[in-house]
Amino acid sequence: MPGGNILRSLRFRLAVSYTIFFAILLTGFGFVLRGMLSEVIESTVEGLLDEEWAACKGFLRITSEGNVQWNYDPADKEEAAIVERLRLIYMIADDRGEVRESSELYREIGFQSPAEIVEVLNTGRTRYTYHKNQRNQVFMVRQSPLSESNNRYFLALGRNYTPSQRVIDQFSNSYFFALPLIILTAAGLGWLLARRAMQPVTEVASEVAKLTGSNLSLRVPLRGSGDELDHMIGNFNSMVSRLEQSFQQIRQFSTDVSHELRTPVTVVRGQLEVALMTAKSEEELREVIEGALVDIDRLSQLIRALLNLAKAEAGQLTLQMKPLDLAALVREVGAELEIAAQDRGVDLRLVLPRTAWMEGDRIQIERLLYNLIDNGIKYTRAKGFVEVCVFPSPSRLVLEVRDNGEGIAPEHLPHLFDRFYRVPGSKTSGEKGLGLGLSFVAWIVKSHRGEIEAQSTVGEGTTFRVTFPVEVQPERSRPEDGDQGETAGRHSHIGS
Ligand code: ADP
């Protein structure tokens, strides 16, 4: 992380999380191991005490008067050694808790109170307890009842637990002593691993840093591993492509707008200057001013179109949705554009039902029709035709604007509705548009919950097909048979 705070780097956080996780895991594991070890040792010592207790029962006799006797053959050395071993740590008490016999070592540990002894006798259960003597040695003591000559006695046997305790302590000490070292090594390893893991990200970041507004043609090279990072680079590159395209369009648009605006302004200025210097009569001046006004009108139209699109895309244009007759509207717009069509020698045909009702904003739908039909006329050669059809399909109303003009190459079709997009090298139209018309059309269609598609073959012509959802009864838009109006399938010719 060049120049950045290392504590906030992903690498550092990765390494720290890994180390913390590892430390918790190892500490927990240590405690579990220690617990398991103590349990094993404890049950082994308990087993040994059980065996000694069983052996005791074989040698021990208590008379009905309560005298304790150890029955064994003193001449048998082995037996004598066993009994001696058994009598190392032991204590016998009667059912009132009174001690009958005990070893020296047991006395050091300390006797159980009569109440404790009576409790063991009453419950009849064996218990194992730990005790410490004054020399800090730990003993495990097995306490249980013993029946002899119809009397109940308490027999406690002990075993030195200190060696076992030492094993457990030794294990804990060495494990928990080594733990910080292991964790430190793991942290170092984690730090290196995190660097390896973050290396590609750092590389990609430095590639990304090379991108600026003026060299958007750069792409971050794919690493070819097909992993998440490659996927991200792919997405990033396509985002940069889209950005580059937008930058390009905006640059193009600024050039176009300044050109479109500057030319008429220069012309008007020139006209007015010449008139000022050379006009001899009021009549001549009036003529020049009228000409200038026409140019200024075109200019303000252009500015209005730009403002409208900007407003529409910023969501500031509110639509006045009302039932409207699309067929009637097509007739009106058709009549308005008829002169333009005649001028270009294009046959404008309308194929319309008597009425075609839909919900829409009259001004916007009019604008849509104007744009689509005007484009048809603009991009069609003389003797060509533009045909506008309106017809219903289930729950939709279809508008088709078809021409047999120059057509559009397939690679341009997907961009047609993009803002400022113009098919490069379009031959037919003498006028230079701004490439805003179709993007506005697309916005109008979308805001009416409709759909638009363009089909085109170069040299054969283009068809724009718009469908609007209709909630009004289909009868209202169905052509009426035998009516004097135009019916579906009958071509209505206006003009040439
Ligand atoms: P313009 O103001 O350039 O006409 P539009 O957004 O209306 O802008 O259209 C975008 C581009 O689509 C046009 O520049 C033109 O090249 C192409 N185009 C639109 N309509 C047609 C058509 N009917 N036939 C051929 N090309 C068309």
Side-chain angles (χ1 to χ4, degrees):
M1 213 179 154
N5 184 353
I6 201 151
L7 295 181
R8 289 171 63 185
S9 72
L10 212 55
R11 180 185 172 188
F12 179 77
R13 281 187 285 171
L14 261 179
V16 167
S17 327
Y18 164 79
T19 311
I20 292 177
F21 173 75
F22 202 68
I24 293 175
L25 199 81
L26 278 187
T27 313
F29 187 62
F31 280 114
V32 170
L33 270 187
R34 187 186 193 280
M36 276 164 62
L37 187 68
S38 330
E39 225 165 87
V40 168
I41 291 179
E42 201 175 83
S43 65
T44 311
V45 178
E46 277 174 17
L48 287 173
L49 280 171
D50 289 347
E51 278 171 23
E52 285 176 2
W53 194 83
C56 261
K57 271 180 80 176
F59 295 111
L60 194 65
R61 287 286 163 272
I62 303 173
T63 61
S64 47
E65 290 85 44
N67 294 326
V68 178
Q69 294 172 353
W70 292 88
N71 289 341
Y72 67 99
D73 180 6
D76 184 342
K77 279 196 178 144
E78 206 177 312
E79 211 171 87
I82 292 172
V83 173
E84 200 176 320
R85 161 83 200 84
L86 292 176
R87 291 178 66 187
L88 210 57
I89 310 165
Y90 86 104
M91 182 266 257
I92 298 168
D94 62 20
D95 56 0
R96 277 167 292 134
E98 212 165 279
V99 179
R100 287 301 170 104
E101 198 173 282
S102 76
S103 66
E104 177 63 31
L105 274 174
Y106 203 97
R107 243 169 275 143
E108 280 181 20
I109 297 171
F111 297 142
Q112 279 69 31
S113 68
E116 276 176 277
I117 294 170
V118 169
E119 195 196 323
V120 171
L121 292 180
N122 286 346
T123 56
R125 238 182 271 141
T126 305
R127 21 186 238 201
Y128 301 90
T129 47
Y130 292 93
H131 303 268
K132 245 184 197 171
N133 66 7
Q134 276 138 3
R135 277 171 283 148
N136 243 356
Q137 285 176 308
V138 182
F139 293 85
M140 187 193 256
V141 172
R142 182 190 195 279
Q143 309 170 22
S144 59
L146 178 77
S147 293
E148 273 287 322
S149 333
N150 291 334
N151 282 324
R152 282 189 313 153
Y153 292 94
F154 169 88
L155 171 62
L157 283 180
R159 229 187 138 82
N160 192 350
Y161 198 72
T162 316
S164 313
Q165 189 63 52
R166 211 173 291 135
V167 172
I168 297 168
D169 289 346
Q170 249 169 17
F171 165 79
S172 303
N173 288 347
S174 36
Y175 185 91
F176 289 103
F177 176 77
L179 195 61
L181 280 175
I182 300 174
I183 291 172
L184 223 70
T185 319
L189 223 82
W191 181 244
L192 291 178
L193 270 178
R195 190 178 67 175
R196 262 195 79 166
M198 296 314 296
Q199 186 69 23
V201 180
T202 320
E203 280 167 18
V204 171
S206 67
E207 287 291 330
V208 170
K210 289 182 196 157
L211 285 175
T212 62
S214 51
N215 70 352
L216 279 175
S217 53
L218 276 183
R219 294 288 175 274
V220 179
L222 283 174
R223 295 153 54 247
S225 58
D227 58 7
E228 291 90 336
L229 205 62
D230 255 8
H231 186 65
M232 194 196 80
I233 296 172
N235 286 343
F236 179 81
N237 280 344
S238 41
M239 186 192 79
V240 176
S241 298
R242 288 197 298 274
L243 266 179
E244 188 186 13
Q245 214 175 5
S246 306
F247 264 61
Q248 177 58 32
Q249 282 176 357
I250 289 169
R251 241 177 259 141
Q252 182 66 41
F253 175 68
S254 321
T255 320
D256 289 345
V257 168
S258 40
H259 184 259
E260 291 291 323
L261 296 180
R262 207 180 51 211
T263 315
V265 169
T266 320
V267 170
V268 171
R269 193 191 153 90
Q271 282 172 347
L272 293 176
E273 269 175 4
V274 171
L276 209 60
M277 286 189 283
T278 59
K280 297 195 179 67
S281 64
E282 196 179 312
E283 197 57 33
E284 272 181 37
L285 263 180
R286 179 177 289 277
E287 240 173 65
V288 173
I289 291 172
E290 272 170 5
L293 274 179
V294 172
D295 283 338
I296 285 173
D297 268 356
R298 276 200 23 231
L299 259 177
S300 51
Q301 252 176 26
L302 179 71
I303 292 167
R304 215 175 307 133
L306 280 172
L307 276 176
N308 269 334
L309 188 65
K311 262 194 200 166
E313 294 199 339
Q316 288 168 353
L317 215 72
T318 37
L319 298 180
Q320 307 286 321
M321 301 297 270
K322 285 191 184 126
L324 64 87
D325 180 2
L326 186 64
L329 214 57
V330 172
R331 261 180 231 114
E332 275 176 37
V333 176
E336 266 179 48
L337 285 170
E338 181 49 32
I339 300 172
Q342 272 179 11
D343 283 353
R344 293 186 64 85
V346 172
D347 181 12
L348 179 59
R349 307 167 184 170
L350 308 184
V351 184
L352 304 169
R354 212 168 79 89
T355 56
W357 290 94
M358 63 173 278
E359 281 274 315
D361 181 310
R362 193 188 160 85
I363 295 176
Q364 303 305 339
I365 298 291
E366 215 172 75
R367 189 167 281 154
L368 171 144
L369 290 170
Y370 192 92
N371 270 304
L372 288 181
I373 302 172
D374 188 48
N375 272 352
I377 297 170
K378 268 194 323 197
Y379 299 106
T380 302
R381 289 176 207 90
K383 296 212 166 56
F385 69 83
V386 174
E387 189 175 83
V388 187
C389 310
V390 173
F391 55 91
S393 85
S395 76
R396 305 190 85 75
L397 192 59
V398 183
L399 164 78
E400 264 181 15
V401 180
R402 192 159 65 87
D403 64 59
N404 66 346
E406 63 184 71
I408 302 161
E411 66 268 26
H412 299 300
L413 280 177
H415 306 292
L416 224 50
F417 301 101
D418 291 356
R419 215 170 146 168
F420 317 126
Y421 193 80
R422 290 188 326 212
V423 176
S426 172
K427 288 169 239 114
T428 322
S429 171
E431 298 165 46
K432 241 177 114 195
L434 272 176
L436 291 176
L438 285 182
S439 53
F440 204 36
V441 165
W443 177 82
I444 296 170
V445 172
K446 198 171 141 207
S447 57
H448 282 76
R449 291 182 294 119
E451 277 157 26
I452 184 163
E453 57 171 17
Q455 284 170 354
S456 190
T457 312
V458 176
E460 284 183 23
T462 310
T463 303
F464 285 93
R465 188 186 163 94
V466 183
T467 53
F468 292 111
V470 267
E471 275 127 44
V472 266
Q473 300 79 4
E475 303 92 63
R476 293 188 72 182
S477 51
R478 204 184 292 145
E480 288 164 28
D481 288 337
D483 198 280
Q484 304 93 318
E486 306 104 0
T487 54
R490 228 171 71 192
H491 290 190
S492 156
H493 288 247
I494 294 183
S496 56

